[in-house]
Amino acid sequence: MAAPIRVLIVDDHDIVRMGLRGFLSGYDDIEIAGEAANGQEAVDCAKELVPDVILMDMVMPVMDGIQAIQEIRDQKLSGKIIVLTSFATDDKVFPAIKSGAVGYLLKDSAPEDLLNAIRKVHRGEPSLAPDIARKLLAELSLPEEAEKPTPDPLTPREVDILRLVAQGMSNKSIAEQVFVSEATVRTHMTNILSKLHLANRVQATLYALREGLASLS
């Protein structure tokens, strides 16, 4: 049996953390690694507890969610980050995704959507609600001049891999689809992200959507 997914819950409201813990503890494949009441505690817990997935609130005291995401990414700490917030405004969505979040859910989402998002990001798949993806595609500014894609184009195989990533497929599923090893897929992904100056699979998915390599349908 696979090891359970270790989840760190980050929210400044005790009742929200209690509710999330109660809900997620009912599933055998989920383990609550810990809780944090602000962004600084989230960074400290990510360092100490090594979670697989972090549920990150946005508006918190001491350090907000966006700063915490940036710190976790900059320190290369463990944990794929899902934003779980009440806010879908541009000033929260865009910085969170740019900073490295791989999922974005609103607190009024169905419990099953949260559970599915945790399992998806743990498998290496991005998890964006369609309305959030559309918002990002419509509003996300093009990279700065220094961050524009390299003149070195993607190879045909890298384009194929990028299309499959944009369809939400994991490395394992992509490897089976194109008849290569998972290690080869990881190498292709590293090259794709490097060439396009992107931070993660969510940004790669958005790039593929924006360039017409994939669609939301």
Side-chain angles (χ1 to χ4, degrees):
M1 181 180 295
I5 305 168
R6 291 171 45 78
V7 177
L8 172 63
I9 301 170
V10 184
D11 197 290
D12 62 324
H13 292 98
D14 293 347
I15 195 167
V16 173
R17 296 198 308 275
M18 184 183 302
L20 288 170
R21 173 184 283 273
F23 169 64
L24 295 174
S25 296
Y27 294 89
D28 292 339
D29 62 335
I30 304 289
E31 175 185 321
I32 306 302
E35 299 179 13
N38 59 63
Q40 183 58 62
E41 288 184 11
V43 175
D44 295 340
C45 286
K47 189 179 302 183
E48 178 181 353
L49 302 175
V50 195
D52 299 309
V53 174
I54 301 173
L55 300 180
M56 182 74 72
D57 191 19
M58 283 286 92
V59 180
M60 297 180 290
V62 184
M63 178 188 290
D64 66 20
I66 292 170
Q67 290 175 293
I69 294 169
Q70 292 171 338
E71 282 291 319
I72 290 169
R73 184 192 66 179
D74 291 346
Q75 295 186 38
K76 295 180 171 54
L77 301 180
S78 176
K80 298 181 176 72
I81 298 171
I82 300 173
V83 171
L84 184 61
T85 181
S86 301
F87 302 94
T89 53
D90 296 356
D91 64 325
K92 298 294 188 296
V93 175
F94 303 155
I97 297 301
K98 283 184 174 181
S99 296
V102 294
Y104 201 106
L105 284 178
L106 298 179
K107 288 181 177 177
D108 61 1
S109 299
E112 294 78 12
D113 290 341
L114 174 60
L115 187 62
N116 290 335
I118 291 171
R119 289 167 174 165
K120 282 185 68 175
V121 302
H122 183 249
R123 293 195 301 264
E125 305 169 24
S127 181
L128 289 179
D131 55 339
I132 296 294
R134 292 187 184 96
K135 177 187 283 286
L136 286 163
L137 285 172
E139 303 292 342
L140 194 60
S141 61
L142 290 172
E144 298 291 335
E145 182 67 30
E147 298 176 342
K148 286 183 178 178
T150 175
D152 185 19
L154 299 182
T155 66
R157 175 47 62 90
E158 288 168 349
V159 171
D160 290 340
I161 298 292
L162 182 56
R163 285 197 179 102
L164 296 174
V165 167
Q167 293 173 21
M169 295 179 67
S170 66
N171 285 349
K172 180 179 180 181
S173 297
I174 293 172
E176 293 172 352
Q177 179 88 5
V178 299
F179 305 106
V180 297
S181 68
E182 286 188 61
T184 299
V185 174
R186 287 194 294 270
T187 298
H188 283 309
M189 277 305 304
T190 298
N191 293 338
I192 290 167
L193 296 179
S194 176
K195 287 181 177 182
L196 300 179
H197 298 293
L198 301 174
N200 54 44
R201 295 170 81 96
V202 171
Q203 293 182 8
T205 296
L206 292 170
Y207 176 88
L209 292 168
R210 190 175 63 201
E211 297 300 312
L213 299 176
S215 69
L216 287 171
S217 59

